[in-house]
Amino acid sequence: MLTTLGLTTSQALAAPTPGAKPWQVRHLTETGHRHAERIASGPTAAAAEGGGEDEGDEAENSAEATEQFTEARTAPGVVAPGAYGAAWAQLQSMPHTGGSWDHVTGLRYDSDDPRYRDVDSNSSGGSGLVTGRITGIAADDDGYVYAGGANGGVFRSSTGGGHWRAVSDQLPSLSTGALSLDGSGRLWYATGESNTGATSYVGTGVYVLADPRNGEFRPGDRIGGPELESTTIHALRFAGDRVWAATSRGVWSHSTTDLSGPWTLEFAPNPGYLPGGADAKAPNAPYKNIANDIAVDPKDPSKVVVAVGWRGGDTYNGFYSRAADGSWQRVTSLGEMPAGAGDVGNVTFARSKDGSRYYAVQQSPTRTATDPDSGLQGVYVSKSGSPFGPWTSIADTDKLMASGSALQDEGYRPGIQSWYNQFLQVDPNDADHVYLGLEEVFETEDGGAHWTTPGPYWNFGFACWSIDPARQTGDCSPTTHSDQHAVAVGSRGGKPYVLVGNDGGIYSRPLNGTLDAYGHAKDWKSLNDGTIDTLQYYSVGVGKDPADPSGRGVVVSGGLQDNGQSVLRSHDRVMGSNFGGDGADTIVDPDNGCNIAEEYVYLAVQITRNCAVNDGSWIDDPAKATSYSVAPPDNETGAARFIAPITTDQKDARSWVAGGQHVWVQHKGFAIRSGEEWTSAYDLGAGHVATALASSGGRVYAGWCGPCNNSGFTRGIAVGNADGTGWHQLDLPVGGALPNRYVSSLAVDPADAQHVFVAFSGFSRAWTEGPGAGVGHVFESRDGGTTWVDVSVNLPDVPADSLRLLPDGGLALGTDLAAFHRAPGEKDWKVLGSNLPTTTVMQLRSGPDGKLYAATHGRGIWSVDPRRLDARG
């Protein structure tokens, strides 16, 4: 689950609806898949030439978001393929401590929980039960469904969806690019998430499960060798006796009858940028061979059209086909479907089962860069059934907006995230019946002449909706979560259904369902029943539950990608969502878990003192709201990371520290009511932004970067006092004791503020071609940072994310691979406990119950008792 090397995402978003009420503006600008109010300009030179940023921004996948997530793992250089595989191999030989991880979030998560119908939640939007992003789905005609989490692996259901079981946890990668059933009933699992998104991870290749109804994936199920390691795989397409893979390193194929032998590289538009090529170490190499999809002529499997190109635009973008002499040539004319480099970005094809139709949805790099409302080029059909057309237009953004879209009242139009949100599915029994996924789910029953929106973005804005449950008209239909990524058609008992995967999980409805008066589906069913947990946490916080009379219960809260802030109280049977949007970092009062500070993004901090439970009185009197915005000033100026660090002083819970360009401090704890109550303790410097913070007894350590990408990457650590005195930058020369990589975490000894540990993300110089990449991931100083010692010892060379000093003096470390533990007085590390899925451990936090909690970015929250980490593992 090494992050996509250099790939970035962004999204242009419009301003809030003019004249909206205050709570409506907050829904449009601060919730869910809502908007970071940062309208960006053009793309593409940076993206194409330097692997930098491009188009515009949307909160969970903004330009900054993606760049920042990837650069933490790649800067100061390009990471060579095989880095993650080598780390995983080393992990297999490491001993484990005692203790077993418990799954904390293995229960339902209700995004519409009426307890939290607050101004800052998405409750009542209509998405219902949710989990994390689903990026692959396959289904058969006997009720078996397979769903792949973005970074959570494959789950199986034998009931048409629900009662899920994980079936890929033995694999080294749980990042899902595509899932497909072939004609023999085998399940093909392409790893490496097929989105150029902020938290997309590359994979370790393609695996085939011969008996998916009963078996589980094993490492030995991989097809081919290491050819597809460290790639993302956008699509698998079957043609005759071969399977084709569209990847971030070109188009490859393999025999489906002989599964031995390597994959064959069929086409790469810029082969010099592939591993081993003359330009393989160039910063923009990851952008130069992106293949998005493959269309195979049903009448002649040797004839194919491939859609290639970086979504932000490049000269090689376009459609290509193979000539008679074996060479690949650009296709310059496809009828009404534009084929120019500026028009062809992300593309998805879909063919009817009878071969009479081909459909395509196309994102335009030019439109994405210039149109603040949508990047969609259009939807097209080839009525000849040939991928060579002629193609005719059947929908554009305006036609879709008029079909019942929820976006029409929100200042932007369908396809605004078409670089990120795409699926197409043709009804196997009707070539004119098509499902289209963008931000919403669209449907046509007549080949595109007319469209409906069975899955609108949300119900906010419709006449049937009010944030006050008592004022709703009662006819708002449930919808899916927004941001569509995967689709399949299955059946059970002869009843066909369509399944869709999106940023909120997996949903189904009858293939030919019913619509309400608004043209929205009345029959969506959430399949996120709590047995599937692909939740992508950035953070976790734990505090005592004030409602638990025993005094032993806790409240567990955490920030999530596009699923807000979850809250789980000690006696809950379902989690609720008390804040919307992307949940970033979190502060929870250990003595009262209903005191919660939640960061949206870019230091947009909000607080609640009652778990954000609200009696609704604020609807008519905003002064009665119980959630407060307390964002430090760097939020307004944009001088902060997408996921910016916030923390408390470990000796004074009322002293908070937040990091942007400045190190901000406030001493009121949860009594703070305004962002103006923060004071700047230190200015890290123009262009510098905090990446990690630790504070103990008023002594503050702040890790920072700037520039944070490969172009002149610089990192540092500043040290000083919370009162603004004694600040200085540590002397950290490139090539010195500490690596020139991203500072991801700091931990201070509570008994001695001069005793500090620092963790670094990225891979060492064995894999990273960049100045001063260095070796090691964890370092220790006993003199306040003047000198450092590498204490990584036997740790795998993999990005480190979170350090935690345990009460007994032991160290816990969360990485992109696993969690590790170093016992007091020991030098070597062990794998921390057992039973934790192989996924990214984004943050470790201790709870007042003595347990250690892990926020994973793909498999929810887990806990372990550190007192059981004995030496017998």
Side-chain angles (χ1 to χ4, degrees), residues 581-607:
D582 286 89
D585 213 345
T586 302
I587 293 175
V588 174
D589 184 347
D591 295 322
N592 183 345
C594 278
N595 290 339
I596 302 169
E598 182 261 1
E599 178 192 7
Y600 171 40
V601 290
Y602 304 107
L603 283 183
V605 180
Q606 303 166 92
I607 64 164

Side-chain angles (χ1 to χ4, degrees), residues 113-262:
D113 191 328
R115 293 176 295 174
Y116 305 104
R117 195 151 294 175
D118 188 74
V119 65
D120 292 317
S121 80
N122 280 350
S123 185
S124 79
S127 297
L129 300 177
V130 297
T131 188
R133 190 162 69 244
I134 295 296
T135 51
I137 305 175
D140 66 17
D141 291 332
D142 291 317
Y144 281 85
V145 178
Y146 308 92
N151 198 25
V154 182
F155 289 78
R156 176 178 63 219
S157 169
S158 61
T159 60
H163 305 287
W164 301 94
R165 177 180 175 181
V167 296
S168 65
D169 281 2
Q170 301 303 312
L171 296 183
S173 174
L174 300 185
S175 174
T176 301
L179 279 171
S180 297
L181 286 165
D182 66 14
S184 301
R186 297 176 298 184
L187 181 63
W188 293 67
Y189 179 36
T191 62
E193 186 188 346
S194 54
N195 294 309
T196 51
T199 56
S200 298
Y201 287 77
V202 298
T204 53
V206 178
Y207 301 81
V208 176
L209 186 57
D211 181 13
R213 295 186 180 186
N214 300 292
E216 296 188 11
F217 285 101
R218 296 290 187 269
D221 294 327
R222 189 171 77 171
I223 301 305
E227 302 85 30
L228 301 187
E229 281 191 6
S230 300
T231 67
T232 62
I233 300 178
H234 295 245
L236 294 175
R237 301 297 186 186
F238 297 92
D241 62 354
R242 298 197 71 78
V243 59
W244 291 67
T247 82
S248 55
R249 293 208 299 264
V251 179
W252 300 69
S253 76
H254 200 284
S255 170
T256 58
T257 56
D258 181 1
L259 301 184
S260 63

Side-chain angles (χ1 to χ4, degrees), residues 602-625:
Y602 304 107
L603 283 183
V605 180
Q606 303 166 92
I607 64 164
T608 175
R609 302 202 70 167
N610 68 341
C611 280
V613 173
N614 203 298
D615 63 7
S617 58
W618 61 270
I619 296 170
D620 296 311
D621 184 357
K624 294 182 179 180

Side-chain angles (χ1 to χ4, degrees), residues 284-661:
N284 60 347
Y287 301 84
K288 288 296 189 176
N289 288 286
I290 295 172
N292 294 300
D293 207 348
I294 303 148
V296 182
D297 191 327
K299 299 175 183 178
D300 185 351
S302 68
K303 296 180 179 180
V304 299
V305 172
V306 299
V308 301
W310 165 235
R311 64 173 179 79
D314 202 332
T315 56
Y316 77 90
N317 283 35
F319 298 103
Y320 293 79
S321 67
R322 185 163 52 191
D325 63 0
S327 65
W328 289 82
Q329 305 294 327
R330 187 187 293 268
V331 179
T332 58
S333 178
L334 288 170
E336 294 180 6
M337 185 161 68
D343 298 312
V344 183
N346 190 21
V347 173
T348 300
F349 293 113
R351 189 179 72 190
S352 64
K353 186 176 182 179
D354 65 6
S356 67
R357 297 284 190 277
Y358 241 115
Y359 293 89
V361 56
Q362 180 177 349
Q363 171 251 342
S364 163
T366 299
R367 288 178 180 266
T368 301
T370 59
D371 186 344
D373 297 332
S374 179
L376 180 67
Q377 185 69 45
V379 185
Y380 304 88
V381 64
S382 169
K383 293 185 177 180
S384 69
S386 168
F388 294 90
W391 292 83
T392 57
S393 174
I394 56 173
D396 59 16
T397 186
D398 292 326
K399 188 172 186 178
L400 295 173
M401 185 173 70
S403 71
S405 167
L407 305 184
Q408 57 188 321
D409 296 323
E410 303 196 5
Y412 59 99
R413 298 175 296 163
I416 192 168
Q417 286 193 150
S418 51
W419 48 265
Y420 175 67
N421 302 321
Q422 282 193 20
F423 71 57
L424 271 176
Q425 176 68 49
V426 187
D427 184 339
N429 300 311
D430 183 353
D432 287 327
H433 184 199
V434 181
Y435 278 88
L436 163 69
L438 294 169
E439 297 75 39
E440 304 168 289
V441 179
F442 300 94
E443 181 182 14
T444 178
E445 296 180 339
D446 54 13
H450 303 88
W451 293 85
T452 57
T453 311
Y457 199 68
W458 51 16
N459 284 323
F460 305 136
F462 293 132
C464 59
W465 180 85
S466 169
I467 200 166
D468 182 355
R471 301 177 187 179
Q472 292 192 18
T473 60
D475 55 352
C476 272
S477 298
T479 186
T480 75
H481 196 285
S482 60
D483 300 342
Q484 312 303 320
H485 301 291
V487 65
V489 171
S491 66
R492 187 182 186 211
K495 297 180 179 180
Y497 44 78
V498 63
L499 303 124
V500 301
N502 47 52
D503 275 9
I506 181 169
Y507 298 76
S508 72
R509 70 181 293 241
L511 185 58
N512 295 284
T514 57
L515 302 178
D516 64 18
Y518 300 91
H520 306 143
K522 299 170 63 175
D523 42 20
W524 284 113
K525 177 183 179 182
S526 171
L527 305 180
N528 310 303
D529 61 358
T531 62
I532 183 171
D533 182 0
T534 59
L535 291 168
Q536 296 171 278
Y537 281 94
Y538 289 112
S539 63
V540 60
V542 188
K544 294 180 179 179
D545 189 342
D548 182 15
S550 73
R552 296 188 297 271
V554 294
V555 178
V556 181
S557 189
L560 287 151
Q561 188 276 327
D562 210 20
N563 281 291
Q565 184 90 1
S566 72
V567 57
L568 175 64
R569 304 183 70 166
S570 59
H571 299 292
D572 281 352
R573 295 184 178 180
V574 61
M575 291 190 294
S577 178
N578 53 5
F579 291 97
D582 286 89
D585 213 345
T586 302
I587 293 175
V588 174
D589 184 347
D591 295 322
N592 183 345
C594 278
N595 290 339
I596 302 169
E598 182 261 1
E599 178 192 7
Y600 171 40
V601 290
Y602 304 107
L603 283 183
V605 180
Q606 303 166 92
I607 64 164
T608 175
R609 302 202 70 167
N610 68 341
C611 280
V613 173
N614 203 298
D615 63 7
S617 58
W618 61 270
I619 296 170
D620 296 311
D621 184 357
K624 294 182 179 180
T626 59
S627 298
Y628 307 91
S629 175
V630 296
D634 279 349
N635 168 251
E636 294 295 326
T637 64
R641 302 282 287 175
F642 179 74
I643 305 297
I646 57 174
T647 191
T648 61
D649 188 287
Q650 59 184 348
K651 291 187 175 181
D652 181 3
R654 291 174 58 88
S655 293
W656 294 8
V657 185
Q661 176 181 319

